[in-house]
Amino acid sequence: KQEVTQIPAALSVPEGENLVLNCSFTDSAIYNLQWFRQDPGKGLTSLLLIQSSQREQTSGRLNASLDKSSGRSTLYIAASQPGDSATYLCAAYNYGQNFVFGPGTRLSVLP
Amino acid sequence: SQTIHQWPATLVQPVGSPLSLECTVEGTSNPNLYWYRQAAGRGLQLLFYSVGIGQISSEVPQNLSASRPQDRQFILSSKKLLLSDSGFYLCACRDIKRYDEQFFGPGTRLTVL
């Protein structure tokens, strides 16, 4: 059964720093891995999806990598801004099963 | 691209009252649809999913039920709410045309008093 964890649970950084959020999964036979952002009281916004055949995806200041052999994905945020403050969740999808979500990392970017 | 609508946005209901939350999807056809609950300080819990009209799978036994009367409509119901049903309810769809990417609606905040 797929299990997903995220470290750290919370992170506070000054504006302008580059940062890395970590996501680990136990079943390496994933079909894709998706990163989401959730603002307080809002739904989840899809940030990046990495297919199992890919090693990374980029969107603006965000870069997500995938290493299936080690069961890890990282979300890199460059030049962080206060507007990046939110909870970031990763979700692993094994084909034919349901998505399994991590507990999230709560990010605060201080001005 | 698809858009997911949920209503109501917020709801306050007394214990024992019925519940009906609605989710509709635009911009795609024959989507897989999901209901999740997010309790305060906890992660996402999958409640129900549907691969087609009238097809519902339940992940967690509880006093909630789901129905899919139309291709792009998904309804979450209860006959009698419990205090423990309070939470943030999210509807999502999976787009098989976009490598199974999952998209979420804005959510419904339910408070049971």
Side-chain angles (χ1 to χ4, degrees):
Chain A
K1 181 182 174 183
Q2 180 72 276
E3 294 181 3
V4 179
T5 55
Q6 291 185 248
I7 295 173
L11 181 64
S12 183
V13 300
E15 181 177 5
E17 271 203 9
N18 303 324
L19 58 99
V20 175
L21 306 180
N22 296 292
C23 171
S24 297
F25 47 92
T26 55
D27 185 347
S28 62
I30 62 171
Y31 185 71
N32 67 40
L33 188 131
Q34 196 169 353
W35 282 93
F36 296 88
R37 167 187 173 137
Q38 185 176 30
D39 294 289
K42 305 293 185 181
L44 278 67
T45 299
S46 179
L47 297 175
L48 290 165
L49 179 142
I50 312 176
Q51 300 168 51
S52 60
S53 59
Q54 299 174 322
R55 291 196 62 85
E56 64 178 65
Q57 279 285 347
T58 298
S59 176
R61 294 183 293 108
L62 305 180
N63 176 278
S65 67
L66 176 65
D67 184 343
K68 292 199 304 179
S69 61
S70 66
R72 292 185 59 189
S73 176
T74 60
L75 180 65
Y76 175 83
I77 303 177
S80 58
Q81 304 171 357
D84 294 329
S85 298
T87 297
Y88 291 81
L89 298 97
C90 65
Y93 175 63
N94 291 65
Y95 196 79
Q97 301 178 26
N98 290 314
F99 292 85
V100 178
F101 284 81
T105 293
R106 189 169 67 253
L107 173 65
S108 296
V109 181
L110 307 175
Chain B
S1 64
Q2 57 279 92
T3 302
I4 301 176
H5 302 280
Q6 289 187 244
W7 63 90
T10 61
L11 190 60
V12 180
Q13 292 285 94
V15 169
S17 63
L19 172 74
S20 181
L21 303 182
E22 190 164 344
C23 167
T24 58
V25 182
E26 294 179 357
T28 187
S29 59
N30 196 29
N32 284 15
L33 298 175
Y34 303 81
W35 278 112
Y36 291 90
R37 177 169 59 202
Q38 192 175 36
R42 300 179 65 178
L44 279 168
Q45 179 186 32
L46 178 63
L47 302 175
F48 300 95
Y49 67 95
S50 172
V51 299
I53 296 173
Q55 301 178 64
I56 307 294
S57 296
S58 173
E59 286 292 300
V60 182
Q62 56 211 318
N63 73 321
L64 298 172
S65 63
S67 63
R68 186 168 175 178
Q70 299 181 44
D71 180 48
R72 288 173 286 179
Q73 184 184 27
F74 204 21
I75 297 172
L76 184 69
S77 304
S78 174
K79 293 181 179 179
K80 289 185 177 182
L81 283 169
L82 306 173
L83 287 173
S84 58
D85 292 325
S86 293
F88 192 49
Y89 288 82
L90 290 158
C91 178
C93 78
R94 177 165 67 89
D95 191 344
I96 61 174
K97 303 180 192 67
R98 291 180 55 166
Y99 305 103
D100 292 284
E101 189 169 3
Q102 196 168 35
F103 298 91
F104 281 78
T108 294
R109 172 73 59 193
L110 172 66
T111 303
V112 182
L113 302 176

